[in-house]
Amino acid sequence: MRRVNIDAQLLRSFVAVVETGGFARAADTLAITQPAMSQQMKRLEEMLGRPLFRREGRSLVLTAPGELLLGYARRMLELNDDLYRRFAEDEPREIVNLGMPEHFSEALLPLVIAAVHERYPNVQLVVKVGRSQALAEQVEDGRLHLALLVGEPLEGPGTTRLHVAPLAWFGAEAGGTAGGAVERDLRLVLFRAPCGIRQLAVAALEREAVPWRCVHESEDLSALRAAVRVDLGLTVLPNFQAYAGIRPLGDVVGLPALPGIAVSLRRRPSWRPRSAQGLDALVVELWEAFRSGPTLPQPAPPEIAAQALLAH
């Protein structure tokens, strides 16, 4: 018996005719002309040596060979399309480097990773967690494609201002300061300089003439929280999520009011994504969902500190 290679496009057109009920509608579905569709069906019938359709009044119905072909055609197209999808998934993945401050790494970052994995299957997300000042520099020099930044309001190409985050004083959940008054020589746990949040906290204390001393410095958020958790001193953090073991202090007499600090998304202007088009908009969407969720008790609406340096 001679072997015949049946064109998958002929089978796809045949299934379209069956599912739409006519040559004209099937041609529209596949974006070809009706004469081309008729020619394809004629070619398929000649290849198989059987009539596939017959007319009953104005209706087009399948013949017995046509009914037999329909089951095979659907299975062959399913296998064809599955094979194509498998190879498409094996295309080189596009790597996207995203920077994010530590403050977002526990609550927001898992949402971003999950959403990118679902919506952009050909994108490999590489996340750099660090200080905003360093992240901003890495966007500028090309090491990062996108970065969420906390600090002074940013302007310029590729920058989207998202929010003004309130700052608050934080202490241990069961610390002795809560419910009382600030001690005479306020003990502070701070990020190591340069740090915009540290600068704002110190400026607020100096403005109100509150004596203070730094008893512990930290390079990262987890170590800073650990020091506050054991009641070594107070610290200042953005007040838009819960931090395990510490809480915002809204009931301490003598602690000065703090300004707000801007949250921005910076995109490298020269970045031309292949598979990740719209990923920056997705990050903005997730940020809006994150900040509109349950929040901590907030202090009075803050003013943005005009001279704040980029913070963590």
Side-chain angles (χ1 to χ4, degrees):
M1 184 180 76
R2 71 188 183 95
R3 295 183 177 180
V4 176
N5 295 318
I6 302 176
D7 188 344
Q9 184 56 52
L10 298 181
L11 297 179
R12 199 176 299 279
S13 295
F14 169 73
V15 172
V17 170
V18 174
E19 292 179 345
T20 62
F23 287 9
R25 288 189 290 270
D28 288 340
T29 300
L30 297 180
I32 62 175
T33 65
Q34 183 174 345
M37 177 63 72
S38 299
Q39 184 61 35
Q40 286 186 11
M41 292 304 95
K42 181 180 179 181
R43 181 182 168 197
L44 186 59
E45 288 181 327
E46 291 175 348
M47 184 180 294
L48 297 175
R50 300 287 191 279
L52 302 175
F53 301 98
R54 70 173 187 274
R55 288 284 180 183
E56 290 187 358
R58 293 186 175 183
S59 299
L60 189 67
V61 297
L62 287 171
T63 63
E67 290 176 335
L68 177 64
L69 175 62
L70 182 60
Y72 277 101
R74 283 174 168 158
R75 292 198 297 274
M76 291 172 70
L77 288 174
E78 181 180 359
L79 184 61
N80 177 89
D81 295 345
D82 184 60
L83 176 62
Y84 177 79
R85 282 192 297 269
R86 182 62 182 271
F87 275 85
E89 291 173 356
D90 290 339
E91 289 180 354
R93 294 167 66 82
E94 180 177 4
I95 296 176
V96 175
N97 298 305
L98 172 68
M100 188 166 292
E102 288 182 286
H103 305 93
F104 305 137
S105 61
E106 292 185 5
L108 178 60
L109 182 55
L111 302 179
V112 173
I113 292 174
V116 171
H117 178 75
E118 177 181 354
R119 298 195 197 181
Y120 298 93
N122 285 330
V123 168
Q124 179 179 340
L125 191 65
V126 178
V127 181
K128 169 67 175 179
V129 176
R131 295 190 177 193
S132 288
Q133 186 173 20
L135 297 178
E137 293 171 356
Q138 290 175 43
V139 174
E140 294 302 318
D141 65 21
R143 284 178 287 168
L144 291 176
H145 299 104
L146 290 169
L148 272 171
L149 304 172
V150 180
E152 64 178 291
L154 300 176
E155 305 293 341
T159 300
T160 303
R161 182 159 151 194
L162 303 179
H163 185 52
V164 178
L167 293 176
W169 296 98
F170 280 78
E173 284 185 344
T177 306
V182 66
E183 60 189 30
R184 183 182 176 190
D185 192 12
L186 181 63
R187 293 174 294 127
L188 296 181
V189 174
L190 299 171
F191 285 111
R192 185 165 295 169
C195 170
I197 293 179
R198 174 179 179 145
Q199 181 176 330
L200 291 175
V202 171
L205 292 168
E206 296 292 344
R207 184 173 57 251
E208 299 296 328
V210 178
W212 62 277
R213 59 191 174 96
C214 179
V215 296
H216 182 82
E217 289 185 333
S218 177
E219 287 284 358
D220 58 76
L221 181 60
S222 59
L224 180 139
R225 282 167 35 200
V228 177
R229 194 161 50 239
V230 298
D231 205 17
L232 200 61
L234 306 185
T235 196
V236 173
L237 292 171
N239 190 26
F240 46 58
Q241 67 180 50
Y243 300 95
I246 64 177
R247 71 180 189 91
L249 304 175
D251 52 359
V252 177
V253 177
L255 287 178
L258 295 166
I261 199 162
V263 180
S264 304
L265 178 67
R266 176 165 284 180
R267 167 186 171 134
R268 194 169 81 218
S270 62
W271 181 41
R272 299 292 182 267
R274 184 183 72 252
S275 303
Q277 295 181 11
L279 194 149
D280 49 345
L282 173 61
V283 174
V284 174
E285 174 187 330
L286 294 170
W287 164 259
E288 292 298 330
F290 168 72
R291 80 176 184 89
S292 63
T295 58
L296 297 174
Q298 303 295 325
E303 297 285 339
I304 302 179
Q307 302 301 321
L309 298 176
L310 282 172
H312 297 271

